[in-house]
Amino acid sequence: MTQLQINHFSRRREFIQMLAERGAKVGVEIGTDHGKYAQQLLEGIPGLDLLCVDPYLAYTEGEEIHSQEEMEQIYKEALQRVASYDCHIDRNTSMEVVKHIPDNFYDFVFIDGNHSYEYVLEDITEWTKKVKPGGIVAGHDYKEDPTRNYGVIQAVQEYTEENHIAPLFEFRGGGRLVPCWMFFKQ
């Protein structure tokens, strides 16, 4: 079983500060949505070259329904948020984009795309290859949510156990913030 360490720090402050202190220069965010977290990463890590991956396609997740028209508006909002930074938003699926990225290229990947088990496991499996040894593989929504068919915990634990990755970190910001997960690529 994977060794789990729980840390009490925020992905918005301490996690970004850790990436900056480690000298992160190139990173990728899977699932950019409105671009709020991408903007925080770019503001908190001077000189960061960030690839944001989100197809901005209509979807339903539990009771949450997003039309294509709404997704186009969300995409425009994300573009505005990151316009003044070294950032590119790729409107393809993560599995389409990952095919064109060299292995061991990124300093980190932050996964917050489709939360279903099979998609999370696929993102972790394929995007970990694109992170440099010693780099960080992390993601959001490390929680149970039966109304939305979340499989994040199962996928993360399965991947780390099968690949003998330890420790696995869970970080919580306190309050209503949703836990995140992280490990260092070995």
Side-chain angles (χ1 to χ4, degrees), residues 16-180:
I16 292 173
Q17 181 180 355
M18 179 182 66
L19 290 171
E21 289 172 357
R22 291 176 55 84
K25 297 292 180 212
V26 289
V28 62
E29 178 189 42
I30 308 300
T32 300
D33 199 37
H34 293 268
K36 292 177 183 177
Y37 193 56
Q39 183 180 19
Q40 291 170 349
L41 286 165
L42 291 158
E43 288 174 351
I45 307 170
L48 178 64
D49 181 355
L50 184 66
L51 171 63
C52 296
V53 179
D54 197 316
Y56 291 98
L57 296 174
Y59 72 93
T60 299
E61 189 174 70
E63 296 177 6
E64 193 174 327
I65 300 169
H66 296 281
S67 69
Q68 188 58 46
E69 182 178 300
E70 181 182 4
M71 295 310 296
E72 292 301 326
Q73 287 304 116
I74 291 171
Y75 170 64
K76 289 176 185 175
E77 184 181 330
L79 279 176
Q80 289 174 344
R81 285 184 188 280
V82 302
S84 62
Y85 300 97
D86 192 3
C87 181
H88 172 73
I89 298 178
D90 192 318
R91 288 191 66 172
N92 288 294
T93 66
S94 62
M95 289 303 103
E96 182 60 36
V97 175
V98 78
K99 295 177 197 176
H100 307 287
I101 305 293
D103 288 351
N104 304 312
F105 181 77
Y106 287 105
D107 295 313
F108 72 91
V109 61
F110 191 84
I111 299 170
D112 191 14
N114 188 314
H115 296 84
S116 299
Y117 164 80
E118 58 276 359
Y119 290 101
V120 177
L121 184 59
E122 191 173 50
D123 278 339
I124 296 169
T125 300
E126 296 306 317
W127 283 97
T128 296
K129 297 172 189 175
K130 307 309 174 184
V131 174
K132 297 172 185 174
I136 294 175
V137 179
H140 195 225
D141 295 304
Y142 194 71
K143 66 177 185 172
E144 299 290 337
D145 190 338
T147 67
R148 291 184 162 182
N149 192 30
Y150 275 19
V152 177
I153 291 175
Q154 180 185 356
V156 170
Q157 289 179 349
E158 181 179 305
Y159 182 86
T160 56
E161 287 175 14
E162 286 182 6
N163 291 281
H164 309 288
I165 296 170
L168 169 65
F169 297 91
E170 176 184 338
F171 51 101
R172 306 173 182 174
R176 297 179 349 160
L177 297 177
V178 177
C180 295

